[in-house]
Amino acid sequence: MKRRDFLKFSASTTLALAALGAGEEEGFFMAARSLADGKGAEPMPAGSLGAKEVTSVCEMCFWRCPIVGKVKNGRLIKIEGNPNSPANGARVCARGNSGVQLLYDPDRLKYPLKRMGKRGEGKWAKISWDEALDEIAFNMEKVKKKYGPHALAYFDHGSSAEFMREIFKTLGTENYSSEPAFFQCVGPVIAAYLNSMGYVVSGTRQYIDMANAKAILLVGSHIGENVHVSHVREFVAGLQNGAKLVVVDPRFSVAANKADIYLPIRPGTDIALLMAWVNYVIQHGLYDKKFVEKNCIGFEDVRNAVKDYTLEWAARICDLNVNDIKAAIRILAVESPHVAIHPGRHSTWYGKGDVERHHALAILASLFGAVGRKGGIYFPTPVKKAHAHCIRRKEKEDMEEPDESLRDKFPFVDPFPGVPTDRIIDATLTGRPYPIRLWGINGINIIQTISNPYKTMEAIKKLDFIFSEEILPGETAIWSDIVLPEATYLERYDALYAYDGLTPYLTVRQPVVEPLFDVKTPYWIARELARRLKLKCLSCKDEKEFIEEELKELGLSLEKLNSKGGIIVHKANPYRDADKLKMPTESGKILLSIEDFEDEGLDPVPQFRPTPAPPKGYARLLYGRAPVHTFSRTMNNLWLQHEWPENHAWINDEVAKRIGVRDGDEIALENQDGRRSNPVKAKVTPGIRPDCIYLPHGFGVRSKHLTKTYGKGASDNFLITHCITDPFMGSSGKRTNFVRVIKGKKTLDIPELRPIPEELPRFKLNRA
Amino acid sequence: MSQYAMVIDLDRCVGCHACAVACRAEWNVPTEEGYRRNWLKRIGPENTPHGLSYTFYPGLCNHCDQPVCVDVCPVEPEERLFKSFKDGSSKKMAIKATYKEPFTGIVLIDKGRCEGCGACVEACPYKARYLDETLDDPKADKCTFCFERISRGEQPACVKTCIGDARIFGDLNDPASQVAKLVKAGGARRMESKVVKIGPNVYWKGKEKDIFALFKNFAPMTKTWE
Ligand code: SF4
Ligand code: SF4
Ligand code: SF4
């Protein structure tokens, strides 16, 4: 509806209410009331209209859109976007809408639990908060005393995990933040851009100006299936404004469907394509010479490093049509510098070559001069935030390093906190280089997130103690000795949230309803634990106290913020004059060639080093997001599970025909290590390469306590048992697993429909 | 007289399901199998004569010009006095338990008189209705174009939450409205077939391949009401 219609409507609202509400007495039929319920007795208005509104911040995913909770009779009935938010307006995604069903999920953890059966069995007894926290504190002290501080490890994610991180940090372990979000997801892209451009162009956020781009390149990013509201909106806006779109992906994604050129690339060969494009751009003078001269270091190194990468060669390696890849690079070049070379996000693909792939994307963007300019990579706008001193964040420098750090082997894990998840698990299993005996887990289901869950479960068996803070009794809970039930984001204050993208703002999370059951807020839990451990951190009485303190420093208060609709909008400053670019690197320039990489024996300019191709009879396992789910944590949500109850295994139609699998058939997948998935239905489609099988991530839940989703679909993570560790920062490359199909009692080999060039090594099976 | 209508732009839709969930939340629609006022179905990826397509069917009741669901309702018509929420004018009309509201063209259900026979549910060629048997007294239910909301100047819930702004809502009879423009000159089309032509007021727009896939999979081909 147009704005004008609205105004017209609003003007007649009083009239409308009269017509609908009092209508019948005057003899008018209450057209709308008849809709309210079967009895026609519900007082108007029905639906969410007339509800009490509380502004807050979503946490159904980490994007954290500003929201409004609508409360009627003390019950949250609906969530909408905060209309004052410049990022999402009144919109929230399916998950944002479904927060209601997280809050009221009858499967929720309602009080602290202590494990009764074996680890992993999921048998518990109800205990009090005092007992639970005493026991955790006791074990933390005991382990620290016996094995030293580094024997404590913390796996964390999201806003609930932040306060407890202070405890682990203050206790002095180097393992105080082992974020799977970093080491199992965004680590490589962060390392690539931080080292080439001096800031995190893509981490939690992606500072890429798709809305104003004239052409967009996506390499493996499946925006639309990966849903972050403002990001999707910028993508759609760009396309609506006429941006051309090039999508590189072995699977025909939602984004691919919108593409002008779709390149179904052979997995693992992206760098070949990117470096051939870089070469083409240089050879044909399609790059922004002035921009490169002024703002980039290492152009000659790049030129030399890529000179043998031709489009013809890339076409063969990547299994693409040479005319298509030429047309694609020409589209991007013609529209430069207003081209959005999307930096990507989830980037732990192949272990070796992951940082290089994103470095290659950074080089391409830089050659086009598409940095700091409309439509390109842009700069975040700092939104002023304050830090309450009562949280007292202890500096990392105070920590006593272990003789041999788990971070040692990874030169580019700095400046990030924590330790590669995989190394923690190895150290827990082997006791080397030092023992790890206690895990705390907060906001993350480590079993469905960290690769090779079999190994994770073995490691857990070795621990003296393991506890987790959770909302739902998922797999991590059933492996814990103590489970602490946490208040959802709808039942708590948390912190101030600043968004520094194209539509900057400051907002705050506040409770929409009071906590249900006997759950507590993450701050309360961390503070109580800190008190028991006699630590000098988290001294504020509650969240409100430090939020008010922080707001005061900004000349605000909760009351004032709320009177402004719960959000303060800032002006964006995303672009720069290309003559005064001043990158936040030491030299102020973009490093096309990265000397620091070379110093560590790594490629200063990306080189194509092929990842092994599937062994005969197998397809590469790919995975991605279902748009209505966040990782593995929303599968039990009543509304979301109704929309998308199980995943399907995508199989190429030609392959399916050859092996006798039909659409909808029940199959299982077996990986190179003989691990078998739960049963899953086949989705037979021409929309995937014949050498890949794709599973949306997060399904195949193995905790019986998640009653709505238990046993539905297959878990990709339980098929990811072979990872290659990235040499830069120790992340785990996951697309290094291969599967074949089991149907009935038969094991079906995947026919090789796309011959593999000689240059590409094959993965060697470990088994006879 | 208005005729409210929706244009769904598949180029803007990303298949996120927000619309379907927002509708369920707004109207507290039970989650029994097949219970929904609004839905998102995925189509493909599949081949079409215009290329590979991976698209969606974000659907709802079409508030048809000739609503066959109304035709089959067996409840005896009774006269009612209707009032326009736009200008306050009024009008008398005899209605069955489901009817096309005279001022908006929105097809509604009079829950007070619905007998729950399910005739309309069977008759709708778009499967837009369901019979709510979670009620002691089962009633038919379906999309109302959020009548309560739009009569108060609010957008329908699915439109308001649509993250791609793919659902465009307004009065088709107002030539200045965006829906009217999209229908007149923007290439938005009704999903009909040779056999089923009952004047749906939801229109579709998008790439040729996506419209092809949508219509091929979901345009009703048989008369369900005779
Ligand atoms: S993208 Fe969706 S789930 Fe994520 S914060 Fe926004 S509304 Fe919530
Ligand atoms: S779509 Fe179906 S229920 Fe809606 S008006 Fe048309 S026939 Fe009736
Ligand atoms: S909310 Fe909008 S973009 Fe999302 S599925 Fe529905 S129509 Fe498509």
Side-chain angles (χ1 to χ4, degrees):
Chain A
M1 199 183 322
K2 292 194 326 303
R3 191 78 218 148
R4 203 162 54 81
D5 283 348
F6 261 150
L7 296 178
K8 218 158 54 188
F9 266 14
S10 319
S12 61
T13 302
T14 344
L15 187 62
L17 285 170
L20 291 161
E24 204 152 56
E25 284 139 55
E26 296 166 24
F28 291 112
F29 178 56
M30 292 164 66
R33 197 189 71 175
S34 61
L35 308 158
D37 64 8
K39 294 151 219 109
E42 188 174 306
M44 289 302 294
S48 70
L49 292 176
K52 187 186 114 194
E53 300 190 357
V54 185
T55 61
S56 192
V57 178
C58 185
E59 182 93 14
M60 290 299 282
C61 84
F62 54 81
W63 202 255
R64 296 184 184 146
C65 301
I67 55 169
V68 182
K70 307 213 156 187
V71 181
K72 266 189 179 174
N73 305 321
R75 203 180 151 84
L76 174 68
I77 55 160
K78 189 150 186 260
I79 296 170
E80 290 174 4
N82 184 338
N84 301 311
S85 162
N88 57 318
R91 305 165 194 87
V92 280
C93 73
R95 298 160 300 164
N97 269 289
S98 298
V100 178
Q101 293 299 338
L102 172 69
L103 179 66
Y104 297 119
D105 190 335
D107 289 340
R108 263 185 80 177
L109 293 161
K110 303 179 179 71
Y111 32 73
L113 297 172
K114 185 184 166 87
R115 175 173 60 82
M116 296 312 281
K118 277 200 277 212
R119 282 186 184 149
E121 249 185 322
K123 287 196 186 131
W124 288 302
K126 174 182 175 181
I127 55 171
S128 72
W129 276 100
D130 276 337
E131 283 173 275
L133 292 164
D134 286 348
E135 186 155 342
I136 294 170
F138 172 81
N139 279 287
M140 287 178 100
E141 270 174 339
K142 193 170 113 187
V143 167
K144 183 180 171 186
K145 211 162 146 202
K146 193 156 166 204
Y147 302 99
H150 302 294
L152 311 169
Y154 186 50
F155 297 89
D156 51 335
H157 184 251
S159 60
S160 66
E162 278 165 27
F163 305 115
M164 198 178 279
R165 189 180 306 142
E166 295 308 308
I167 294 182
F168 280 81
K169 211 196 244 179
T170 311
L171 286 171
T173 172
E174 70 164 341
N175 303 306
Y176 67 86
S177 175
S178 320
E179 271 202 275
F182 185 74
F183 296 106
Q184 305 283 330
C185 188
V186 295
V189 66
I190 290 185
Y193 282 87
L194 193 62
N195 284 287
S196 61
M197 296 200 178
Y199 70 105
V200 180
V201 172
S202 169
T204 303
R205 308 286 184 191
Q206 289 71 52
Y207 303 107
I208 182 76
D209 188 16
M210 292 184 288
N212 296 299
K214 293 195 174 145
I216 301 172
L217 170 67
L218 300 180
V219 178
S221 291
H222 52 323
I223 301 174
E225 286 151 285
N226 187 15
V227 174
H228 304 127
V229 174
S230 58
H231 201 61
V232 171
R233 287 181 60 69
E234 285 160 14
F235 173 62
V236 172
L239 297 182
Q240 288 294 309
N241 291 337
K244 297 272 189 305
L245 175 65
V246 175
V247 171
V248 181
D249 199 319
R251 182 181 64 96
F252 194 71
S253 62
V254 167
N257 188 61
K258 300 188 188 302
D260 296 280
I261 297 189
Y262 165 58
L263 302 172
I265 194 168
R266 187 196 315 275
T269 64
D270 312 84
I271 297 179
L273 176 64
L274 291 170
M275 295 325 272
W277 274 346
V278 166
N279 187 28
Y280 185 86
V281 165
I282 295 176
Q283 296 299 326
H284 291 80
L286 298 172
Y287 63 102
D288 186 335
K289 294 182 193 71
K290 221 173 115 208
F291 181 94
V292 170
E293 231 162 73
K294 208 147 185 124
N295 300 305
C296 302
I297 293 178
F299 176 74
E300 282 309 316
D301 294 346
V302 171
R303 183 209 288 273
N304 288 330
V306 299
K307 66 178 189 309
D308 298 328
Y309 294 124
T310 63
L311 294 187
E312 289 70 23
W313 168 82
R316 194 167 53 79
I317 296 293
C318 305
D319 193 20
L320 292 170
N321 178 313
V322 69
N323 294 326
D324 290 348
I325 62 180
K326 190 188 281 177
I329 193 63
R330 294 217 76 105
I331 284 182
L332 300 174
V334 164
E335 303 298 351
S336 70
H338 307 292
V339 283
I341 306 296
H342 195 287
R345 180 162 204 292
H346 176 78
S347 44
T348 48
W349 295 2
Y350 308 111
K352 295 206 168 75
D354 287 340
V355 173
E356 290 92 328
R357 180 180 60 247
H358 296 274
H359 184 198
L361 285 164
I363 293 173
L364 191 59
S366 307
L367 292 182
F368 284 146
V371 181
R373 281 163 155 170
K374 245 185 176 346
I377 288 170
Y378 69 87
F379 293 92
T381 302
V383 173
K384 202 169 168 244
K385 263 177 84 180
H387 291 290
H389 74 280
C390 67
I391 297 199
R392 249 190 70 89
R393 294 165 200 276
K394 188 172 160 152
E395 292 312 312
K396 210 178 106 217
E397 288 67 56
D398 304 344
M399 192 192 350
E400 212 175 295
E401 292 249 346
D403 295 340
E404 191 184 339
S405 165
L406 290 174
R407 296 159 58 88
D408 277 354
K409 282 193 195 155
F410 305 104
F412 297 98
V413 70
D414 271 334
F416 300 97
V419 163
T421 33
D422 212 34
R423 296 226 63 203
I424 294 189
I425 290 166
D426 283 341
T428 306
L429 276 168
T430 62
R432 282 192 306 271
Y434 57 76
I436 293 180
R437 307 302 294 236
L438 181 146
W439 289 4
I441 300 146
N442 199 330
I444 178 84
N445 183 356
I446 54 171
I447 306 283
Q448 291 286 6
T449 304
I450 299 177
S451 304
N452 201 350
Y454 303 98
K455 197 166 106 180
T456 307
M457 293 186 285
E458 282 313 305
I460 293 175
K461 287 182 193 157
K462 298 237 167 192
L463 293 168
D464 289 6
F465 190 72
I466 172 171
F467 74 96
S468 59
E469 184 176 316
E470 309 255 16
I471 295 167
L472 287 161
E475 287 92 341
T476 299
I478 64 177
W479 280 90
S480 298
D481 298 336
I482 298 276
V483 188
L484 303 173
E486 150 195 302
T488 64
Y489 68 100
L490 296 161
E491 303 160 285
R492 70 189 196 223
Y493 288 98
D494 254 343
L496 295 179
Y497 290 112
Y499 177 59
D500 58 3
L502 284 177
T503 51
Y505 57 78
L506 181 80
T507 186
V508 67
R509 175 170 296 144
Q510 39 193 349
V512 173
V513 292
E514 289 296 308
L516 305 176
F517 321 115
D518 190 17
V519 303
K520 300 287 184 192
T521 68
Y523 183 78
W524 185 93
I525 296 170
R527 183 170 179 269
E528 283 298 307
L529 194 55
R531 197 170 59 77
R532 282 170 171 78
L533 292 163
K534 301 183 186 61
L535 302 178
K536 285 197 191 62
C537 57
L538 311 171
S539 62
C540 286
K541 183 171 105 259
D542 55 21
E543 295 91 336
K544 231 174 149 175
E545 190 178 313
F546 70 73
I547 290 171
E548 289 285 20
E549 189 184 321
E550 291 178 355
L551 282 171
K552 201 166 149 197
E553 232 177 275
L554 302 172
L556 286 163
S557 66
L558 272 174
E559 203 186 315
K560 210 157 160 191
L561 190 62
N562 282 331
S563 73
K564 292 179 191 291
I567 191 165
I568 310 263
V569 177
H570 290 247
K571 214 173 143 263
N573 177 24
Y575 310 123
R576 298 288 182 277
D577 183 338
D579 288 333
K580 301 178 205 120
L581 197 58
K582 275 200 107 161
M583 302 301 290
T585 49
E586 237 174 71
S587 56
K589 303 201 174 195
I590 299 169
L591 308 186
L592 301 179
S593 167
I594 302 175
E595 220 177 297
D596 287 354
F597 286 180
E598 197 168 19
D599 291 348
E600 299 290 344
L602 299 160
D603 292 333
V605 175
Q607 291 292 308
F608 175 59
R609 299 182 196 282
T611 191
K616 279 241 166 3
Y618 287 79
R620 188 182 301 272
L621 176 67
L622 302 178
Y623 55 83
R625 305 285 299 276
V628 312
H629 288 296
T630 299
F631 316 134
S632 61
R633 70 184 211 220
T634 54
M635 275 62 198
N636 205 55
N637 185 295
L638 182 66
W639 289 342
L640 296 177
Q641 106 97 34
H642 188 272
E643 291 303 311
W644 200 309
E646 60 187 342
N647 58 355
H648 289 71
W650 291 42
I651 301 179
N652 173 271
D653 53 355
E654 192 54 41
V655 168
K657 204 163 99 197
R658 302 252 187 128
I659 63 175
V661 168
R662 273 167 316 187
D663 193 52
D665 277 359
E666 187 173 287
I667 56 167
L669 302 176
E670 185 189 70
N671 82 354
Q672 73 285 340
D673 296 324
R675 295 290 185 183
R676 256 188 210 194
S677 76
N678 286 351
V680 60
K681 289 193 190 99
K683 176 186 172 90
V684 172
T685 170
I688 185 160
R689 285 178 57 92
D691 47 8
C692 305
I693 288 180
Y694 172 81
L695 273 181
H697 170 71
F699 295 87
V701 167
R702 299 191 179 202
S703 167
K704 288 190 176 132
H705 299 281
L706 299 182
T707 55
K708 288 185 278 294
T709 187
Y710 172 69
K712 291 190 184 160
S715 163
D716 55 324
N717 203 42
F718 277 77
L719 293 168
I720 299 178
T721 53
H722 174 261
C723 288
I724 295 184
T725 304
D726 160 87
F728 290 81
M729 22 63 61
S731 60
S732 313
K734 298 159 180 281
R735 294 183 182 167
T736 46
N737 289 269
F738 306 95
V739 290
R740 46 190 183 173
V741 171
I742 314 276
K743 191 182 155 193
K745 290 205 161 53
K746 272 201 239 139
T747 304
L748 306 169
D749 278 353
I750 309 294
E752 196 164 284
L753 302 185
R754 308 296 308 178
I756 296 170
E758 274 166 21
E759 293 96 316
L760 303 187
R762 254 183 215 278
F763 183 86
K764 285 192 192 63
L765 287 173
N766 240 337
R767 299 174 296 142
Chain B
M1 271 284 292
S2 303
Q3 174 59 60
Y4 282 93
M6 192 178 289
V7 174
I8 300 182
D9 185 344
L10 294 177
D11 284 347
R12 305 194 73 124
C13 177
V14 293
C16 74
H17 294 242
C19 45
V21 179
C23 173
R24 191 173 298 282
E26 183 70 33
W27 302 112
N28 202 10
V29 176
T31 46
E32 266 68 11
E33 184 65 42
Y35 285 30
R36 76 282 182 281
R37 288 177 165 205
N38 185 306
W39 58 85
L40 189 284
K41 291 187 176 158
R42 302 180 95 74
I43 305 167
E46 64 184 38
N47 287 314
T48 76
H50 314 283
L52 195 54
S53 165
Y54 186 20
T55 191
F56 315 103
Y57 177 21
L60 67 171
C61 168
N62 293 288
H63 303 277
C64 303
D65 293 340
Q66 296 97 42
V68 292
C69 53
V70 171
D71 294 347
V72 300
C73 178
V75 173
E76 200 56 38
E78 280 179 28
E79 189 159 278
R80 290 283 183 274
L81 182 59
F82 289 86
K83 188 167 181 170
S84 161
F85 59 76
K86 272 196 168 171
D87 60 15
S89 62
S90 61
K91 187 177 199 167
K92 270 192 187 151
M93 190 174 89
I95 58 161
K96 303 181 183 179
T98 181
Y99 59 99
K100 198 166 168 72
E101 205 274 339
F103 289 103
T104 57
I106 296 177
V107 174
L108 296 172
I109 299 169
D110 178 0
K111 291 286 177 73
R113 289 194 302 140
C114 171
E115 290 173 355
C117 69
C120 58
V121 176
E122 296 284 305
C124 171
Y126 294 95
K127 302 189 176 66
R129 295 179 173 233
Y130 69 97
L131 192 65
D132 186 351
E133 293 184 284
T134 64
L135 301 168
D136 296 342
D137 238 345
K139 306 278 175 199
D141 192 45
K142 68 167 193 69
C143 158
T144 63
F145 266 172
C146 282
F147 191 95
E148 290 88 334
R149 295 172 59 88
I150 64 159
S151 61
R152 288 171 176 78
E154 276 274 355
Q155 302 230 22
C158 60
V159 174
K160 194 170 180 187
T161 206
C162 176
I163 73 170
D165 297 342
R167 291 176 177 255
I168 301 134
F169 181 76
D171 180 2
L172 207 53
N173 292 346
D174 170 3
S177 76
Q178 213 189 332
V179 283
K181 285 181 193 157
L182 287 170
V183 167
K184 194 157 173 244
R189 286 192 261 164
R190 290 175 145 167
M191 184 159 64
E192 292 179 311
S193 67
K194 280 210 183 77
V195 184
V196 181
K197 267 191 184 312
I198 56 175
N201 283 302
V202 174
Y203 290 74
W204 302 89
K205 150 173 205 308
K207 295 184 188 28
E208 199 57 41
K209 59 175 187 174
D210 295 340
I211 296 291
F212 180 93
L214 172 67
F215 285 21
K216 181 180 141 240
N217 283 283
F218 291 105
M221 303 303 286
T222 46
K223 285 192 176 175
T224 37
W225 59 91
E226 276 172 357

